[in-house]
Amino acid sequence: MRRKLVAGNWKMHGTRESAEKLVAAIVADFPTHCDVAVFPPFPYLVPLIEQHGAKLAFGAQDCSEHDDGAYTGDVSASMLKDTGCRYVLAGHSERRQYHHETDALIACKVVKALEHGLTPILCVGESLEEHDAGRTVDVVQRQLGKVIEHCGIAVFERVIVAYEPVWAIGTGRTASPEKAQSVHALLRSQLAQADAKIANSTRILYGGSVKPDNAAELFAENDIDGGLIGGASLKAPDFLAICAAAH
Ligand code: 13P
């Protein structure tokens, strides 16, 4: 049985004060029936982890593919580990789109995260254009395939996958549970072609306009092992309601 994970990706939102209030509210009503993690902007990670890291798991929204060196503006996986982060996102669609991250680069980031003891959450998903052209399967299989090819299947004992259709992110347009399930099943069968046992244990999260009113039906699907939540993770009652739906 795969334990569900609900992860809140705050993206570039909020202030230090709002971040502290949000985490305090989550911790005060902490769900124990599923795993929970939040991904605040970099500057808020240290104070939040110092205060709440014993109870709540934290992750970063990105890491460098390098160990250290002259890479202005970048943050390494070892630094994140050092601050007490447990997770890191790799290849979020906003990184792919606005920072031109390629499948090969993302695979390198997954390697660095694992080398430094972080759990990477590998994000895959098709754009609206790709979706409308019927290319969903091609795109997500290429994105996942690149990491399998570069890192090997064994890493998926630790890597978490998140399917986030780009057309559903921040749009209020969610993939139907059936549609999301079909893509999740496809990703799992791609993993299973390399190793059925690992595929069965790999968690595959869904992300894209998950809200309190649609979370339960998404999480009820066989291959949906939790959610990667954007907008709704910025409001404690909504985030906690989504966690409650993750049995
Ligand atoms: P929304 O939940 O706001 O659609 O964002 C999803 C997302 O991108 C999480 O990483």
Side-chain angles (χ1 to χ4, degrees):
M1 203 46 195
R2 296 178 297 268
R3 188 172 157 86
K4 288 206 174 9
L5 167 64
V6 179
N9 174 11
W10 297 1
K11 309 193 180 185
M12 199 174 74
H13 290 295
T15 61
R16 181 163 173 179
E17 191 187 348
S18 69
E20 279 169 0
K21 280 192 181 144
L22 184 47
V23 167
I26 294 167
V27 166
D29 203 1
F30 194 69
T32 51
H33 59 277
C34 64
D35 291 339
V36 181
V38 296
F39 293 69
F42 283 129
Y44 306 144
L45 279 168
V46 171
L48 291 175
I49 292 174
E50 278 174 1
Q51 212 183 333
H52 299 286
K55 198 150 185 196
L56 180 61
F58 287 85
Q61 298 171 17
D62 182 41
C63 71
S64 171
E65 72 276 28
H66 301 290
D67 277 324
D68 68 345
Y71 302 104
T72 301
D74 285 350
V75 174
S76 71
S78 65
M79 291 170 183
L80 295 172
K81 182 69 183 174
D82 208 14
T83 65
C85 276
R86 195 177 303 171
Y87 299 95
V88 63
L89 302 183
H92 190 280
S93 63
E94 288 146 20
R95 301 292 312 174
R96 293 179 189 262
Q97 189 180 350
Y98 305 130
H99 297 270
H100 314 291
E101 294 196 1
T102 61
D103 293 328
L105 175 78
I106 292 159
C108 294
K109 292 186 174 197
V110 167
V111 169
K112 283 297 158 209
L114 290 167
E115 269 177 23
H116 294 284
L118 297 169
T119 298
I121 301 186
L122 168 68
C123 305
V124 301
E126 80 285 9
S127 67
L128 179 60
E129 205 180 22
E130 291 159 342
H131 174 261
D132 290 350
R135 294 186 47 224
T136 300
V137 173
D138 286 358
V139 171
V140 299
Q141 287 197 327
R142 186 205 73 224
Q143 292 171 334
L144 177 62
K146 195 74 187 181
V147 177
I148 300 175
E149 191 186 301
H150 185 93
C151 306
I153 189 65
V155 301
F156 285 87
E157 282 183 341
R158 287 174 51 210
V159 175
I160 295 171
V161 178
Y163 170 54
E164 296 206 304
V166 179
W167 48 270
I169 295 179
T171 58
R173 205 180 142 195
T174 322
S176 68
E178 300 74 31
K179 162 87 188 165
Q181 163 60 25
S182 73
V183 177
H184 282 230
L186 186 113
L187 293 169
R188 197 177 305 286
S189 71
Q190 187 179 359
L191 293 168
Q193 277 166 21
D195 189 312
K197 189 160 169 269
I198 289 177
N200 195 40
S201 67
T202 306
R203 290 193 281 188
I204 307 180
L205 314 182
Y206 170 79
S209 295
V210 179
K211 306 287 176 206
D213 61 358
N214 61 21
E217 53 177 8
L218 285 160
F219 297 164
E221 295 291 342
N222 270 345
D223 290 294
I224 301 185
D225 305 312
L228 183 53
I229 321 299
S233 73
L234 297 169
K235 293 182 201 135
D238 286 6
F239 186 64
L240 289 167
I242 292 169
C243 293
H247 289 297

